[in-house]
Amino acid sequence: MGVAFNKPNIVLVRGSYHTEGERAVPVYNYKPFPEHWNRPAGCLITRVKAVPSVKEEENDFYWWTDCEFLPNNDSSMVTSCSAFCIQPSQGLTSSRAIQPGKICLFDLSGDKNIKCGYYRQASVASFPKLQPFPDGENIVYLGSTCDNIKLMSLQRSTFLSRAQDVYFRAYKYVSVSPSGCYFAIMARTSKQYQYELLIYHSNIITRADSIIDCYKINSEFKGSRLNLEHTTCKWSPDSLCVAAGISHGQLIIVSRRSQTCLCDVFSDVIPNTCLSRATTFDFDPKSCHQVVAVGATNRFLYIVDVEEGTVLCQTEEVCGDHAIDVVRFSCDGEFVGVALKNFTIQLFSPDTCCLIFRFSMKDSLLSLQTSMGPHASILNLTFTSTGQQAVTSTADGYVSFWQLPRKLELQFICKFKILSCVSLDRVSRLPLPPRLKDYLLSLPTRM
């Protein structure tokens, strides 16, 4: 791949400063997805409203919904949503009747009922996006004023403000690095609607470590006067690179150290097409930062080597008749999930781009309606640590849990039995060969 292969070290996140190449992990044991929820592959497990306390109005709202599992915990999930009205210009106007961005914590570990905790004081930005902090005890999100980010404790409901902006930039998206050391923030400036990628140290409040002008890398990477675009940024598994995408179709990979562009994907690697949505790319967990999966407007899935600037593989035919809404790797990198606008979920091999499994959400939820205009039907797609369950958040304000094919390999079963007894920060002390420790920790393996 052109550089030395350095796997991240596992460190205790609580009360420690991390150095280059380290990765933060929770200090609790793995919590499995409850066995009593298991269903046949492709079937709906259960469905919940993202924020149960929000009453549905008579109007037909577009619900911007988000969901994420907590790290090393397949029985707990954080959710949020906001209601919007679709304007003739296809823009989204926040509903004044419903408070946006409330946060809920769902606990599926009970024998019969799903418990839901509601954080009354927490309020996310209009387009809510939640990311669990690597310790599993906090979540990171944009504040409601869009000029700061919040770090909230799930247990104590305490809040810390981080990365407050003093230059009148509007924060649009935030992502925390796997090391727990850095925040990456997509910020829209007042200068010709351009975007900057800000890198903050997690302990710094007002001064950014790096300010990367996305417009200087790609002149198409900028917003519009109507502010209709959406942006996303994601950290690489080794915390050395950040991928930044915009719904206009551009995707750039930048180095945190040098603040330079490592790869402009659609200019350098995949010409004549562009990013399907701001959410249709993801880093391969098996690589440090070299491999990225990309869903394009031509409805193909590409696996790209961003260092060599080459396409490693692509699907033999288009993924479907509808646009790609989300692209997301499983936690172990064994497959990459593709969610289509018509509610079809497909799983592909990242090595060959061969189809592994597919199902239609409409087979179980006949009432699902494809969103009108350019807006996505599926806002997020995520997977449990085992990769045996998928969760989708949709524009109707609901979060749906789906059963994927069960894995019966002995090594796989032993892995999660061990992690149920030993926390991730203690795996390195086990009397096991290094390769087995790497397997337990799901560390990158691509050279």
Side-chain angles (χ1 to χ4, degrees):
M1 294 292 182
V3 296
F5 180 76
N6 296 311
K7 292 180 296 187
N9 297 316
I10 297 299
V11 297
L12 183 66
V13 68
R14 187 183 297 161
S16 63
Y17 268 90
H18 311 142
T19 58
E20 297 290 350
E22 293 183 332
R23 189 176 109 185
V25 294
V27 296
Y28 52 78
N29 297 352
Y30 168 70
K31 299 176 183 178
F33 192 83
E35 284 286 337
H36 64 268
W37 287 113
N38 287 333
R39 301 287 187 272
C43 289
L44 177 68
I45 298 174
T46 188
R47 190 169 186 247
V48 296
K49 193 187 297 185
V51 180
S53 62
V54 174
K55 296 181 180 180
E56 294 184 1
E57 303 289 331
E58 294 181 358
N59 297 356
D60 293 328
F61 287 126
Y62 180 88
W63 294 88
W64 188 279
T65 315
D66 191 41
C67 61
E68 290 290 347
F69 281 105
L70 298 185
N72 211 39
N73 184 348
D74 289 346
S75 64
S76 296
M77 168 167 283
V78 286
T79 65
S80 182
C81 69
S82 295
F84 292 88
C85 297
I86 301 179
Q87 300 301 314
S89 64
Q90 298 299 333
L92 298 176
T93 302
S94 182
S95 169
R96 297 181 179 179
I98 299 175
Q99 185 175 359
K102 304 308 293 181
I103 299 174
C104 288
L105 175 63
F106 287 90
D107 182 1
L108 287 78
S109 60
D111 292 336
K112 295 182 179 180
N113 298 322
I114 299 176
K115 298 179 182 178
C116 178
Y118 177 56
Y119 298 92
R120 296 183 180 276
Q121 296 180 344
S123 183
V124 190
S126 296
F127 297 100
K129 175 61 185 175
L130 307 173
Q131 184 174 1
F133 204 75
D135 61 5
E137 298 179 358
N138 301 275
I139 58 172
V140 180
Y141 59 89
L142 293 180
S144 56
T145 58
C146 292
D147 62 352
N148 69 91
I149 63 174
K150 296 286 187 179
L151 181 66
M152 185 187 81
S153 167
L154 293 172
Q155 299 298 323
R156 298 183 297 274
S157 297
T158 55
F159 302 85
L160 293 174
S161 292
R162 287 290 182 267
Q164 295 175 332
D165 191 76
V166 296
Y167 296 102
F168 305 104
R169 287 175 289 220
Y171 290 170
K172 295 297 185 178
Y173 198 94
V174 60
S175 178
V176 60
S177 67
S179 68
C181 289
Y182 300 98
F183 296 123
I185 301 172
M186 293 301 304
R188 178 175 159 127
T189 70
S190 57
K191 181 183 178 181
Q192 297 180 351
Y193 321 115
Q194 296 178 12
Y195 277 89
E196 293 177 340
L197 177 63
L198 313 178
I199 308 295
Y200 281 85
H201 196 281
S202 58
N203 291 308
I204 302 298
I205 297 178
T206 57
R207 181 178 58 82
D209 286 4
S210 304
I211 301 177
I212 301 169
D213 192 336
C214 299
Y215 179 80
K216 289 183 178 180
I217 296 174
N218 185 325
S219 60
E220 299 296 323
F221 203 115
K222 67 176 183 178
S224 62
R225 182 180 60 84
L226 296 177
N227 195 19
L228 301 179
E229 71 281 350
H230 297 284
T231 57
T232 305
C233 58
K234 294 182 180 181
W235 284 93
S236 62
D238 60 5
S239 301
L240 295 181
C241 296
V242 181
I246 189 169
S247 56
H248 290 345
Q250 305 306 317
L251 175 63
I252 57 176
I253 318 294
V254 299
S255 168
R256 175 178 60 78
R257 286 175 175 172
S258 64
Q259 303 180 33
T260 58
C261 179
L262 185 65
C263 180
D264 186 339
V265 173
F266 291 98
S267 295
D268 302 339
V269 186
I270 318 174
N272 304 320
T273 186
C274 55
L275 194 66
S276 180
R277 300 193 191 279
T279 51
T280 59
F281 68 92
D282 198 16
F283 279 102
D284 184 352
K286 286 186 175 182
S287 76
C288 287
H289 61 260
Q290 298 91 337
V291 180
V292 177
V294 180
T297 52
N298 60 8
R299 307 195 304 281
F300 281 89
L301 174 70
Y302 299 89
I303 306 298
V304 176
D305 181 338
V306 298
E307 286 194 334
E308 299 294 336
T310 59
V311 174
L312 299 176
C313 66
Q314 69 179 76
T315 50
E316 293 184 359
E317 54 187 23
V318 294
C319 294
D321 296 330
H322 291 74
I324 299 175
D325 277 352
V326 187
V327 169
R328 186 80 174 262
F329 269 99
S330 61
C331 296
D332 57 7
E334 289 299 317
F335 61 82
V336 56
V338 174
L340 304 182
K341 187 173 180 177
N342 67 341
F343 300 104
T344 298
I345 307 297
Q346 299 178 331
L347 308 182
F348 292 93
S349 165
D351 299 318
T352 62
C353 283
C354 293
L355 182 66
I356 299 174
F357 184 73
R358 73 181 298 275
F359 67 93
S360 174
M361 296 170 59
K362 285 189 173 182
D363 290 344
S364 300
L365 299 171
L366 300 177
S367 61
L368 287 176
Q369 295 183 357
T370 304
S371 63
M372 301 299 292
H375 305 292
S377 297
I378 301 176
L379 281 303
N380 198 9
L381 169 68
T382 187
F383 303 99
T384 54
S385 302
T386 64
Q388 296 183 128
Q389 291 81 26
V391 180
T392 56
S393 59
T394 46
D396 58 2
Y398 280 83
V399 172
S400 303
F401 296 75
W402 303 91
Q403 183 68 54
L404 300 181
R406 302 293 302 277
K407 300 178 182 179
L408 302 177
E409 296 87 353
L410 179 60
Q411 187 181 39
F412 171 84
I413 295 173
C414 291
K415 171 180 178 177
F416 288 97
K417 287 295 184 182
I418 293 172
L419 295 181
S420 297
C421 303
V422 180
S423 59
L424 289 172
D425 63 298
R426 297 180 182 272
V427 168
S428 59
R429 308 176 193 176
L430 295 176
L432 296 173
R435 289 186 64 183
L436 278 180
K437 293 180 183 179
D438 291 351
Y439 175 71
L440 290 173
L441 296 169
S442 298
L443 291 180
T445 56
R446 291 184 185 273
M447 299 299 289

